[in-house]
Amino acid sequence: MSHSQEQMISTDIEQTLKHHEHKNLLRFITCGSLNDGKSTLIGRLLYDSQMLFMDQLVALQNDSRKWSTQEGDIDLALLVDSLAAEREQGNTIDVAYRYFSTDKRKFILADTPGHEQYTRNMITGASSADLAVILIDASQGVLTQTRRHTHLVSLIGIRHVVLAINKMDLVGYSHEVFERIVEDYREFADKLAIENCVAIPISALKGDNIVRPSKAMDWYHGSTLMGYLETVEIDDTRMQRAPFRLPVQWVNHPNPDFRGFSGYVASGTIRPGDRIRVQPLGKESRVTRIVTDEGDLSHAVAGQSITLTLEDEIDISRGSVISTVDAPAEVADQFEARIVWMHEQPLYPGRTYLMKIGTNTINAVITDIKYQINVNTLEHLAADKLDLNGIAVCNIGLDRSIPFDPYELNRDVGGFILIDRLSNNTVGAGMINYALRRAHNIHLQHLDIDKEARSAQKGHKPCVLWFTGLSGSGKSTVANLVEKKLFNLGAHTYLLDGDNVRHGLNRDLGFTTADRVENIRRVAELSKLMVDAGLIVLTAFISPFRSERRMARELLPEGEFIEVFMDTPLEIAEQRDPKGLYKKARRGDLKNFTGIDSPYESPEAAEIRIDTSTLSAEEGADRIIGLLRERGVLNS
Amino acid sequence: MTDSQSLTHLERLEAESIHIMREVVAETENPVMLYSIGKDSAVMLHLAMKAFYPAKPPFPLLHVDTRWKFREMYAFRDRIAQELGMDLIVYTNPEGVAQGVNPFTHGSELHTHIMKTEALKQALNKYGFDAAIAGARRDEEKSRAKERIFSFRTAQHRWDPKNQRPELWKLYNARKQKGESIRVFPLSNWTELDIWQYIYLKNIPIVPLYFAAERPVVERDGVLIMVDDHRMPLHEGEAPMMRRVRFRTLGCYPLTGAIESTADTLPAIIQEMLLARTSERKGRIIDQDAAASMEKKKQEGYF
């Protein structure tokens, strides 16, 4: 071979390599009902995209003679139905992954089985997919399975669906049949959150609209299936624009001089110099290096496996999540989640499972099955257990707090599996909707008065100072000040802070209306006991509903319930937003937030109103002390 | 400030493999990496060096040696292990040695069973490894398309295709009972082209047998077999002839077919592969058995 020839080939191949290297990747799943031609479709995609190697074809011809269900032609389905066991069964029994590429894209296809008892496999295949191809047999129309598949696809958060209406050859390539099926489908699918759904009429067997446009369906002017898969826009940098999350996988500490934190970047971007927070500890530091064997990186993005070093020596172990300080993860130990059950042994509330989420494995209990979802009709059903392939919305409690994001914001820190503690099987998968007790939003108030101090009891009357007002109205600040002043006056006090109580007594309660009611009931009862013990009790809860405040008032003898209305216009409270909660609520990340999507009912006859837009905290506290003197609680 | 960058396919694969290896180290007690000296092992080892840098990968390499590998493979193995400072365990089935098992008198199937499948089980038991990281890819062979990344084996090292755990997102359940073990395949999602491209991109050393050179071969049943040492019994009238050949996969030399080729650079190899109409494992005689042979081997404990 001459030098110039070799050079030319070498140049060409290098260009080929570059081209191939810069192709992007589409991961998709195919789902279909039994016998609607899924394996044939996949075989056709592989066959027509000419990625079949010759000897695979030869093997296929041999197999076809032995196993074929098609007379004469090569049976494309045999290309993909692989395990010997399933050949004998005549259907696919598991998730199979296929790899192929065209000039434009690389593809990883998760081939998922259609029949009901293998829903878990579909969820498995779908969990890493960007797009789903849902197959419908044109001669059958929309089936129960179609609804199930669509619901699962929506549940797992796939944003793109291709409705491949197959076997068009069996219905005479009828435009009318196609339109009717699309209409039937949309009626169901429109109820689900699928961003982008496209319907394509195909015949996998005959090759219509797979790779080549169909001559038999000139009424169809859209893309072929392959054409669509090659060009559909997948926003693969979306996670890079989300807040930074690095679940720490492994601490790299080979010698005293190096301590690195390794993990897969679940979202966001990081660069040396960025300030980070380590959760659930809450400690902060700064990134010094992003270390690789090919030299340090100037930045790293979602989708990379990296190793970071930090400025400060912080005790970080597997399970910690590193976030940037501007948008840390939430931390909680109770959640509402959607759960898909994957095991023959049903899920029972109250039983302990292991939950693996990110790099954490913790004990978890399903505290309540709120409702099961009928995946065919989307109806909510009452349930006291969840059987194989059942889907339910549940409350889950953990034995310690973990950092997380809701699943819809971040699959890799909001998705989890449940593991049976005895068999070690993966028995369920779940997706966090939100935290029930928002530990992240609940900053522990530092109490200036300790127990010993309080016990130095002095002569005063007991009562409850019941602070109420919007988040950010200054309840805790003023209540704290009042307690300090009372302490200095020698009073025996106790501050029940909304946040502190939720860490203990009321840890099982969330933020739904029912839970808020129960929260206030318990606080009221507790206050009553403390008043019985002779204390001045200060409570600082939003307590937005009049009826609950009335209930608390009615628990106590006349004159011992003093309602303190922290009157702050919503605009001002929202402007203060000391914990950033309003911002989250406005974004829709925080549900049932008082003032935004949950009402605040102002008191009609509070004992005292503190207008925090005109008064300082100090002035407000003084007025309250003044009132206590007036009412004879304190000796004047 | 726009830091956002669409990662290439290879960058995604690399990150995934590194994540998988770190999970193994974090979640198992005594992992080992199976090192077969081939191109997939080369990529896997390169990724392991990356995953734990600047530390060394916290596991040894295990080479299950049938004693019938190419001489160049042994030389390459020892050089790489030494250069990278990796602990290398070489294990050969002593019963197989005592019985003089070889591919000529015992045939490929029995040889592979005793010297690879059984030997691997013995080695895992002997050293108490609870996780073995191996370089199998799903695109290699049909029965592997359904293999999990974390694949469970009973205490008898058997693989039950119907009783594998669902794998969702990037969550691998590595929990197991005493005696059970896991085979982990960090290259599951790589294709043959990806492997070659990555070797090219990162300049990863590979055994020279992958490159075309003049080598002594004999032709048997349409397959070119290299006469790598004196143990190769020649048939009546058979004489080694020098041919310009290379190997697309590497295994026991009497069981590994050479292809005639002039490809002596990586781009040329990749080009040849891209144009090739024979898939990768055709060169391996053990796969020419019944269609479901690999599945059967896997159930017995072969990778």
Side-chain angles (χ1 to χ4, degrees):
Chain A
M1 189 186 294
S2 76
H3 181 69
S4 65
Q5 259 181 320
E6 192 180 307
Q7 200 176 26
M8 207 177 73
I9 289 169
S10 155
T11 312
D12 277 350
I13 185 67
E14 271 159 31
Q15 271 170 357
T16 310
L17 288 175
K18 237 182 192 67
H19 179 68
H20 180 83
E21 192 201 320
H22 288 99
K23 279 180 193 172
N24 66 9
L25 171 68
L26 180 76
R27 295 188 73 134
F28 71 106
I29 64 166
T30 49
C31 17
S33 311
L34 205 56
N35 299 326
D36 59 13
K38 184 157 55 66
S39 292
T40 306
L41 172 70
I42 295 166
R44 175 63 71 181
L45 280 172
L46 298 177
Y47 188 82
D48 282 6
S49 62
Q50 299 181 351
M51 289 306 293
L52 285 180
F53 288 136
M54 202 65 88
D55 67 341
Q56 285 180 320
L57 276 179
V58 171
L60 190 61
Q61 274 159 349
N62 290 337
D63 279 357
S64 292
R65 280 198 286 278
K66 198 161 154 196
W67 301 99
S68 182
T69 53
Q70 302 288 333
E71 297 292 323
D73 288 343
I74 286 176
D75 187 349
L76 291 166
L78 285 175
L79 190 64
V80 290
D81 288 338
S82 61
L83 297 188
E86 85 190 6
R87 283 192 188 171
E88 273 133 39
Q89 268 183 11
N91 55 43
T92 43
I93 57 167
D94 211 327
V95 188
Y97 294 89
R98 318 281 170 201
Y99 304 83
F100 65 102
S101 67
T102 67
D103 282 351
K104 300 198 177 74
R105 237 181 200 157
K106 293 211 56 159
F107 298 94
I108 299 180
L109 187 169
D111 176 13
T112 57
H115 37 302
E116 189 154 350
Q117 61 268 42
Y118 290 107
T119 289
R120 62 175 178 187
N121 292 324
M122 203 196 118
I123 284 288
T124 302
S127 73
S128 57
D130 306 306
L131 175 147
V133 175
I134 295 179
L135 265 138
I136 293 184
D137 179 341
S139 65
Q140 302 281 318
V142 173
L143 300 177
T144 300
Q145 286 298 316
T146 317
R147 298 200 176 92
R148 171 176 285 265
H149 296 149
T150 306
H151 182 242
L152 293 175
V153 158
S154 133
L155 180 79
I156 206 91
I158 292 181
R159 299 142 65 92
H160 304 272
V161 166
V162 178
L163 194 63
I165 301 181
N166 192 22
K167 302 196 184 178
M168 287 301 291
D169 52 311
L170 294 187
V171 296
Y173 296 107
S174 159
H175 189 184
E176 205 189 320
V177 170
F178 173 75
E179 289 297 341
R180 199 178 62 233
I181 292 171
V182 171
E183 201 175 305
D184 280 359
Y185 182 76
R186 292 218 193 268
E187 200 178 311
F188 172 76
D190 283 352
K191 289 181 234 159
L192 300 163
I194 288 167
E195 211 164 273
N196 178 4
C197 178
V198 166
I200 304 177
I202 62 168
S203 165
L205 190 67
K206 308 283 181 194
D208 292 283
N209 286 335
I210 305 297
V211 171
R212 281 177 294 277
S214 168
K215 291 195 181 79
M217 290 180 276
D218 52 5
W219 47 264
Y220 174 75
H221 305 291
S223 305
T224 61
L225 179 58
M226 183 68 94
Y228 186 75
L229 294 176
E230 278 184 322
T231 53
V232 58
E233 291 273 344
I234 297 297
D235 188 0
D236 58 355
T237 57
R238 190 172 60 97
M239 286 320 290
Q240 293 179 14
R241 297 190 301 272
F244 179 74
R245 301 285 182 262
L246 180 75
V248 175
Q249 252 191 307
W250 189 67
V251 179
N252 191 339
H253 186 41
N255 59 60
D257 299 328
F258 187 89
R259 184 182 289 271
F261 305 98
S262 298
Y264 178 91
V265 183
S267 59
T269 301
I270 194 80
R271 47 175 64 237
D274 285 350
R275 283 206 64 80
I276 55 93
R277 179 178 295 173
V278 180
Q279 293 172 295
L281 280 178
K283 296 242 173 75
E284 296 188 1
S285 184
R286 202 179 285 279
V287 174
T288 46
R289 299 171 58 198
I290 305 168
V291 182
T292 83
D293 63 334
E294 296 175 280
D296 287 5
L297 301 179
S298 63
H299 70 283
V301 298
Q304 289 180 301
S305 282
I306 62 167
T307 300
L308 293 179
T309 60
L310 301 178
E311 201 168 79
D312 307 282
E313 281 217 9
I314 302 180
D315 183 27
I316 301 178
S317 53
R318 178 173 166 87
S320 300
V321 170
I322 298 178
S323 304
T324 42
V325 288
D326 53 331
E330 293 186 61
V331 173
D333 60 5
Q334 290 182 53
F335 304 98
E336 185 194 274
R338 288 159 289 162
I339 290 181
V340 181
W341 200 245
M342 299 186 154
H343 203 261
E344 288 79 9
Q345 288 250 315
L347 171 156
Y348 289 105
R351 186 172 290 175
T352 305
Y353 298 95
L354 287 169
M355 175 197 267
K356 184 168 182 184
I357 176 165
T359 54
N360 269 305
T361 304
I362 49 259
N363 287 313
V365 174
I366 310 300
T367 49
D368 183 27
I369 300 178
K370 293 174 116 170
Y371 53 86
Q372 189 172 349
I373 300 171
N374 177 327
V375 286
N376 306 325
T377 60
L378 302 186
E379 275 176 323
H380 296 182
L381 313 164
D384 52 9
K385 67 180 172 97
L386 196 59
D387 289 314
L388 176 63
N389 295 315
I391 296 169
V393 171
C394 302
N395 288 347
I396 298 187
L398 309 182
D399 65 354
R400 62 186 163 84
S401 292
I402 54 155
F404 78 99
D405 284 309
Y407 179 80
E408 64 172 335
L409 299 182
N410 197 325
R411 286 184 185 190
D412 290 327
V413 283
F416 59 86
I417 54 173
L418 294 171
I419 300 168
D420 186 275
R421 285 148 49 97
L422 282 179
S423 70
N424 289 324
N425 280 324
T426 300
V427 290
M431 289 142 274
I432 291 179
N433 289 341
Y434 50 79
L436 293 176
R437 183 175 65 74
R438 298 186 176 90
H440 162 72
N441 302 330
I442 298 168
H443 296 266
L444 277 166
Q445 290 287 339
H446 178 64
L447 300 179
D448 295 319
I449 311 303
D450 65 14
K451 195 173 169 184
E452 288 74 21
R454 277 189 210 98
S455 69
Q457 204 172 3
K458 292 279 159 56
H460 60 75
K461 291 181 187 165
C463 73
V464 175
L465 281 167
W466 189 280
F467 289 77
T468 173
L470 293 167
S471 177
S473 62
K475 297 182 297 297
S476 290
T477 312
V478 174
N480 234 316
L481 261 178
V482 170
E483 194 185 25
K484 252 191 235 183
K485 287 174 188 285
L486 288 171
F487 175 72
N488 289 336
L489 293 169
H492 190 176
T493 61
Y494 195 80
L495 172 57
L496 288 173
D497 189 280
D499 299 343
N500 292 342
V501 168
R502 279 188 175 270
H503 279 291
L505 176 65
N506 291 356
R507 62 182 300 162
D508 55 330
L509 299 180
F511 286 79
T512 62
T513 300
D515 282 359
R516 281 166 175 249
V517 169
E518 171 64 6
N519 183 45
I520 295 304
R521 188 192 69 80
R522 291 187 199 171
V523 169
E525 289 285 356
L526 181 60
S527 302
K528 184 186 170 196
L529 289 173
M530 288 183 162
V531 166
D532 281 346
L535 276 66
I536 297 178
V537 182
L538 303 93
T539 69
F541 300 82
I542 297 174
S543 43
F545 305 120
R546 273 183 209 123
S547 57
E548 273 65 61
R549 295 194 301 262
R550 189 181 326 118
M551 178 267 297
R553 184 184 288 271
E554 282 167 7
L555 277 175
L556 292 157
E558 183 95 31
E560 289 186 5
F561 184 86
I562 300 170
E563 192 169 10
V564 182
F565 177 27
M566 301 299 287
D567 193 1
T568 308
L570 178 63
E571 305 79 63
I572 293 177
E574 186 166 7
Q575 217 172 348
R576 289 178 189 157
D577 204 15
K579 301 167 191 171
L581 300 180
Y582 284 96
K583 245 178 237 113
K584 295 181 74 170
R586 287 287 182 201
R587 281 203 309 265
D589 296 345
L590 207 53
K591 300 281 183 255
N592 299 325
F593 192 72
T594 302
I596 306 297
D597 55 354
S598 184
Y600 179 79
E601 300 168 0
S602 297
E604 285 158 333
E607 272 70 16
I608 183 168
R609 187 180 76 91
I610 305 293
D611 181 353
T612 67
S613 55
T614 56
L615 292 179
S616 71
E618 191 70 33
E619 288 165 337
D622 284 338
R623 290 208 182 182
I624 293 165
I625 298 291
L627 178 74
L628 294 179
R629 290 189 200 280
E630 259 174 58
R631 295 176 67 100
V633 173
L634 298 173
N635 301 326
S636 39
Chain B
M1 185 177 65
T2 69
D3 280 335
S4 131
Q5 57 181 91
S6 198
L7 296 179
T8 67
H9 182 64
L10 286 177
E11 285 170 327
R12 286 186 187 275
L13 290 173
E14 180 188 80
E16 181 186 65
S17 301
I18 289 173
H19 174 256
I20 291 165
M21 288 194 234
R22 287 172 176 167
E23 280 300 284
V24 177
V25 163
E27 296 234 322
T28 66
E29 283 162 28
N30 190 18
V32 66
M33 177 172 277
L34 301 188
Y35 181 68
S36 71
I37 322 176
K39 63 184 194 308
D40 301 297
S41 282
V43 166
M44 191 166 62
L45 183 52
H46 181 89
L47 292 167
M49 298 304 290
K50 254 186 198 307
F52 303 100
Y53 179 86
K56 288 264 181 277
F59 43 72
L61 301 178
L62 170 64
H63 178 223
V64 175
D65 185 13
T66 61
R67 301 185 307 154
W68 289 93
K69 303 297 171 189
F70 294 87
R71 282 176 300 167
E72 280 188 80
M73 290 173 72
Y74 292 116
F76 182 87
R77 175 194 73 188
D78 294 342
R79 176 170 74 79
I80 290 294
Q82 198 197 9
E83 278 177 13
L84 299 180
M86 290 292 292
D87 288 335
L88 170 71
I89 297 168
V90 176
Y91 184 86
T92 305
N93 182 350
E95 294 152 30
V97 174
Q99 290 161 23
V101 172
N102 69 76
F104 301 109
T105 38
H106 298 86
S108 77
E109 195 164 335
L110 190 65
H111 168 76
T112 303
H113 179 75
I114 293 174
M115 299 309 284
K116 281 183 89 167
T117 311
E118 288 303 315
L120 175 61
K121 291 185 208 171
Q122 289 171 357
L124 296 179
N125 289 342
K126 177 178 172 186
Y127 295 98
F129 294 124
D130 62 343
I133 306 168
R137 291 179 281 111
R138 286 183 180 137
D139 85 323
E140 273 179 77
E141 201 270 335
K142 272 204 286 181
S143 80
R144 282 191 172 148
K146 300 189 174 189
E147 181 62 285
R148 302 295 197 272
I149 290 173
F150 279 56
S151 177
F152 280 78
R153 304 302 154 106
T154 64
Q156 291 74 43
H157 298 284
R158 285 191 74 87
W159 177 74
D160 177 0
K162 286 193 176 170
N163 200 19
Q164 295 292 314
R165 299 168 180 177
E167 283 179 348
L168 293 101
W169 300 291
K170 298 177 185 72
L171 296 173
Y172 304 106
N173 172 1
R175 301 183 71 85
K176 58 200 171 321
Q177 316 282 355
K178 208 166 169 55
E180 294 174 349
S181 62
I182 322 173
R183 309 286 159 90
V184 183
F185 305 112
L187 303 182
S188 286
N189 286 324
W190 294 61
T191 63
E192 186 185 11
L193 178 56
D194 298 327
I195 293 286
W196 281 117
Q197 186 137 32
Y198 193 74
I199 288 170
Y200 178 59
L201 198 69
K202 300 289 180 181
N203 204 15
I204 299 169
I206 50 170
V207 182
L209 292 162
Y210 286 112
F211 298 102
E214 294 283 330
R215 297 188 170 96
V217 295
V218 294
E219 188 175 334
R220 286 184 184 170
D221 303 326
V223 180
L224 293 176
I225 301 293
M226 179 170 160
V227 184
D228 195 47
D229 60 34
H230 62 276
R231 292 179 295 175
M232 172 101 178
L234 294 177
H235 298 170
E236 186 90 11
E238 200 177 48
M241 49 195 168
M242 293 305 283
R243 292 274 191 87
R244 198 161 180 80
V245 295
R246 66 178 202 89
F247 296 86
R248 297 188 59 196
T249 59
L250 295 178
C252 294
Y253 82 79
L255 300 176
T256 306
I259 54 166
E260 292 200 82
S261 168
T262 55
D264 54 4
T265 64
L266 277 172
I269 288 174
I270 296 169
Q271 189 171 43
E272 192 180 88
M273 191 213 75
L274 285 173
L275 300 173
R277 284 287 171 254
T278 48
S279 79
E280 180 180 4
R281 300 181 67 92
K282 184 163 185 187
R284 285 197 196 169
I285 290 167
I286 52 166
D287 285 349
Q288 309 253 327
D289 303 336
S293 68
M294 183 58 83
E295 189 186 334
K296 185 161 162 283
K297 287 195 179 75
K298 269 173 69 176
Q299 287 182 4
E300 289 165 354
Y302 177 72
F303 274 85

